[in-house]
Amino acid sequence: MKNVFEYKVTNNYDRKGVSITGTPVNMETLEIPDEIDGLPVLEIASGAFADRKKIINVVFPKHLIQICSSAFDGCSALESVTFPDTLQDIGPHAFNSCIQLCDVNFNEGLKLIEHNAFHNCSILKLILPNSLIEIEERAFRNNPITHVQFGSKLEALGYAVFEGCYLLESLKFPDSLLSLGYDAISGCISLQWISFGKNLEDIGSYNDFAFGCYDLKDIIVDPENKDFCSINGAFYDKNEKVLIRVPPNMGVNTFAIPKWVKRLASGCLNDLRLDKVIVYPKTVDGLSLSCIDLSRNISCIKDSDVEAWAKRQKFDSITQLSTSINDFLEEIVEEEKTVKQLR
């Protein structure tokens, strides 16, 4: 068969091979040869097939090691890809905005998925190989993913990696995961529960964790984790001094912030479907109330703190709070039972 591909010779992979740089021919099925002029095809170069609107299917060469940046960016008719066993790295924006791409079959041997690699595609089910070590920022942002199966060696997930995956209902992260980037799951509006393994060390920032996850019911942390914990579904640092996130849809009417909490992470009480959130007298001294945005559901204690907070929130009077200070004082004894349960 006559070669219709443009290419260059490369020595980037400890052996001599070919990097495919493009083709002048428009085709629906892109069948990239295993070899050209006796040399193995090891790489698809940056932008090689970007914005080719006719490509529906791709057959990759059996020696392929890397797909470089924007190689298939904007291939809006591409529907399915299956990667060869030799592939190790999928580059930045490699399949960005392949809006029809719904079926992606990853290979064992893949180690890295770089930033924005599959941003704004139509992937429904994500089964990741055990060999995969890192997924960079926004790699799967804005996909209608319904299910994710992580590999056993995954160590890092980048910023906004699953942001806007609006059909995703659950995430069980592997024990191998060490780092979860800021905004990694923001805007996952159908997400109901999250499970973290025993080795998670970093979530990018305590602030605005699970922002826009309106249906979140439960956050689970392995009891052996040394940096984080969960109590009755709420998410804390390991020492229980920082309240990171209360699931908005956790299925209770009242949530009492434990007395030992010293800090409320910004956004930790966002979007709560509760009648009331209780802040105890000994707790309020150490808390910044400016992070609370659901004023109608907050009962606070100290007049000076409440007045200052109400002023910042532009309330006309303290009576606009759901429960008066005096009423709240009368509830302390009853709510003490709730706090003990949260222990």
Side-chain angles (χ1 to χ4, degrees):
M1 179 181 175
K2 182 180 178 181
N3 175 46
V4 295
F5 292 93
E6 299 165 346
Y7 68 97
K8 61 183 180 181
V9 176
T10 178
N11 293 298
N12 288 344
Y13 304 98
D14 297 325
R15 58 173 168 157
K16 194 173 184 180
V18 165
S19 174
I20 298 292
T21 59
T23 179
V25 180
N26 288 319
M27 56 188 85
E28 290 185 356
T29 298
L30 188 68
E31 188 171 353
I32 304 172
D34 295 331
E35 297 182 351
I36 295 179
D37 293 339
L39 294 175
V41 175
L42 304 178
E43 176 186 277
I44 299 174
S46 296
F49 303 105
D51 296 317
R52 294 297 184 97
K53 307 300 184 185
K54 292 187 68 174
I55 298 174
I56 297 175
N57 299 295
V58 179
V59 179
F60 293 99
K62 65 181 181 181
H63 304 293
L64 187 67
I65 295 175
Q66 184 173 19
I67 299 173
C68 296
S69 61
S70 301
F72 295 92
D73 191 343
C75 291
S76 56
L78 183 62
E79 296 177 352
S80 175
V81 291
T82 298
F83 298 116
D85 293 341
T86 53
L87 186 66
Q88 297 180 19
D89 182 1
I90 299 175
H93 299 268
F95 296 90
N96 177 61
S97 293
C98 293
I99 58 175
Q100 299 296 325
L101 182 59
C102 61
D103 185 18
V104 179
N105 299 290
F106 293 99
N107 60 295
E108 285 295 342
L110 182 67
K111 297 179 180 179
L112 175 64
I113 298 175
E114 299 190 55
H115 66 85
N116 295 281
F118 295 93
H119 170 245
N120 201 30
C121 295
S122 294
I123 299 171
L124 296 173
K125 191 173 184 179
L126 197 58
I127 299 179
L128 299 167
N130 289 325
S131 58
L132 188 62
I133 296 172
E134 182 178 4
I135 304 175
E136 293 186 348
E137 61 268 24
R138 298 181 297 273
F140 295 101
R141 186 174 181 264
N142 289 351
N143 274 266
I145 298 169
T146 60
H147 173 75
V148 180
Q149 179 179 312
F150 294 101
S152 60
K153 295 181 181 178
L154 185 66
E155 296 181 0
L157 289 167
Y159 164 79
V161 64
F162 293 114
E163 183 181 22
C165 292
Y166 58 92
L167 294 179
L168 196 57
E169 294 186 357
S170 64
L171 283 170
K172 183 177 182 180
F173 296 104
D175 282 338
S176 59
L177 188 68
L178 303 175
S179 174
L180 181 69
Y182 181 68
D183 270 347
I185 56 174
S186 291
C188 293
I189 59 175
S190 299
L191 192 62
Q192 295 184 23
W193 64 267
I194 308 165
S195 177
F196 291 117
K198 61 185 178 181
N199 293 311
L200 183 70
E201 300 172 348
D202 179 28
I203 57 170
S205 171
Y206 287 173
N207 294 333
D208 297 317
F209 179 78
F211 179 80
C213 296
Y214 307 120
D215 207 27
L216 190 60
K217 297 178 180 178
D218 197 7
I219 300 172
I220 303 164
V221 181
D222 190 296
E224 295 183 24
N225 191 289
K226 296 180 181 179
D227 294 281
F228 302 98
C229 70
S230 60
I231 304 173
N232 290 0
F235 189 35
Y236 301 81
D237 73 325
K238 188 61 175 183
N239 296 321
E240 303 170 26
K241 301 298 184 184
V242 182
L243 176 56
I244 300 170
R245 187 62 158 127
V246 179
N249 193 24
M250 66 189 305
V252 296
N253 294 324
T254 300
F255 180 82
I257 297 174
K259 291 180 180 180
W260 52 88
V261 168
K262 300 299 182 184
R263 174 186 160 197
L264 299 181
S266 177
C268 71
L269 302 174
N270 280 0
D271 309 309
L272 296 187
R273 300 179 189 177
L274 302 176
D275 295 332
K276 194 178 300 179
V277 174
I278 306 299
V279 182
Y280 279 84
K282 292 181 180 179
T283 304
V284 78
D285 282 330
L287 300 180
S288 171
L289 298 181
S290 62
C291 69
I292 300 172
D293 71 346
L294 288 183
S295 56
R296 66 185 182 277
N297 291 340
I298 305 298
S299 294
C300 297
I301 268 294
K302 292 178 65 179
D303 289 350
S304 58
D305 284 337
V306 175
E307 288 171 356
W309 173 57
K311 186 176 181 181
R312 287 195 299 273
Q313 300 295 328
K314 299 181 180 179
F315 283 102
D316 294 329
S317 68
I318 298 301
T319 57
Q320 287 184 312
L321 294 173
S322 62
T323 305
S324 71
I325 301 302
N326 290 333
D327 288 343
F328 171 69
L329 285 169
E330 293 173 2
E331 294 171 357
I332 289 180
V333 174
E334 294 180 9
E335 296 299 333
E336 185 72 18
K337 297 177 183 177
T338 304
V339 174
K340 288 178 180 178
Q341 290 175 358
L342 289 173
R343 264 310 219 185

